[in-house]
Amino acid sequence: MNKLLVILGAGGHGRAVADAALKMGYRTIVFLDDRAAGRCIGFPIAGPLDRAEALRDGKTDFVIALGDNRLRRRVAMGHDLPWARIVHPSAQISPFAELGAGTVVLAGAAVNVCARVGRHCIVNTGAVVEHDNVLEDFAQVAPRAALGGSVRVGALAQIGIGAVVKNNVAVGMGCVIGAGAVVVKSTEPGGVYVGVPAWRREKGAAV
Ligand SMILES: CC(C)(COP(=O)(O)OP(=O)(O)OC[C@H]1O[C@@H](n2cnc3c(N)ncnc32)[C@H](O)[C@@H]1OP(=O)(O)O)[C@@H](O)C(=O)NCCC(=O)NCCS
């Protein structure tokens, strides 16, 4: 591939994205971060996030590696850049699935047939996005979480680590599904849901 990737965010998720990108064949990585300087897993942190436009040269790809969905959206809205899709080579992506620009799929995850994953989503390590799922923009599925067939995940929603969402259920925009929850009924926008079966713990942040 012989290309440079600029990763916006040098935290834990940024390092996981770098690891996947190198395995995809990116030649080298440059990080940008507002809070860190120096080097990150051996690659330079070349300044704050707003330096991204200055690194645009027609040959370089960009990806936002910020785990906070709203922050990721804010950064994406603030920059018009060639956003890459980063897919770890061990992930299983159906040729009949769609991945939006800026989306990251990490090691061992599966995105099955006719699933549609929007822009700047995260499908984390070992997560399962089953057939006919729709993940709207800036949604996130944490490690080992599993979505049954025809699940819809609203924009900015977060499915927690190891959570399960039953087939045909809709997770509302901006919902947070807690670690290990089992969602058996559709959830209201902006709610925080925990437990088995999942119940609404409180009103979440306004979307
Ligand atoms: C649900 C969640 C968002 C709540 O976060 P929070 O508002 O900071 O909640 P707190 O840690 O203050 O816990 C508040 C209460 O909820 C309970 N709780 C928290 N998470 C829970 C979960 N996943 N399932 C059941 N109960 C949970 C706590 O035990 C605590 O109960 P208490 O008041 O009786 O002591 C969070 O715990 C969670 O599960 N996040 C998912 C994290 C994740 O998947 N990360 C992946 C990163 S790759």
Side-chain angles (χ1 to χ4, degrees):
M1 178 187 290
N2 203 30
K3 261 185 144 180
L4 171 71
L5 179 68
V6 175
I7 300 180
L8 286 74
H13 181 54
R15 296 194 298 276
V17 170
D19 181 74
L22 292 167
K23 286 176 178 141
M24 286 170 74
Y26 277 96
R27 174 175 50 89
T28 191
I29 306 284
V30 169
F31 288 98
L32 297 176
D33 199 285
D34 288 346
R35 285 186 281 187
R39 299 184 83 78
C40 176
I41 54 169
F43 298 104
I45 301 174
L49 301 180
D50 63 13
R51 266 211 76 202
E53 306 283 354
L55 299 178
R56 184 180 189 145
D57 62 3
K59 292 178 288 191
T60 298
D61 287 343
F62 294 78
V63 68
I64 306 170
L66 300 166
D68 180 316
N69 293 343
R70 286 179 181 77
L71 187 54
R72 206 164 59 256
R73 177 176 65 173
R74 193 181 332 141
V75 172
M77 296 305 179
H79 296 89
D80 180 22
L81 290 165
W83 301 116
R85 293 164 184 80
I86 301 299
V87 178
H88 192 286
S90 68
Q92 301 293 319
I93 312 292
S94 164
F96 302 101
E98 292 171 21
L99 298 182
T103 279
V104 168
V105 184
L106 292 180
V111 179
N112 213 334
V113 64
C114 298
R116 284 187 285 133
V117 180
R119 294 175 301 131
H120 301 282
C121 292
I122 301 171
V123 180
N124 219 316
T125 311
V128 175
V129 173
E130 258 305 337
H131 65 85
D132 302 294
N133 282 187
V134 175
L135 268 64
E136 294 180 357
D137 297 346
F138 307 104
Q140 165 168 191
V141 186
R144 303 288 286 189
L147 311 179
S150 302
V151 163
R152 187 172 193 103
V153 178
L156 295 158
Q158 178 178 347
I159 311 295
I161 189 163
V164 170
V165 182
K166 188 176 164 244
N167 54 303
N168 299 314
V169 159
V171 174
M173 181 180 181
C175 271
V176 176
I177 306 300
V182 176
V183 181
V184 295
K185 288 193 281 197
S186 294
T187 69
E188 290 169 32
V192 178
Y193 290 79
V194 297
V196 182
W199 53 281
R200 186 169 187 169
R201 200 196 67 177
E202 61 182 31
K203 251 184 152 191
V207 176

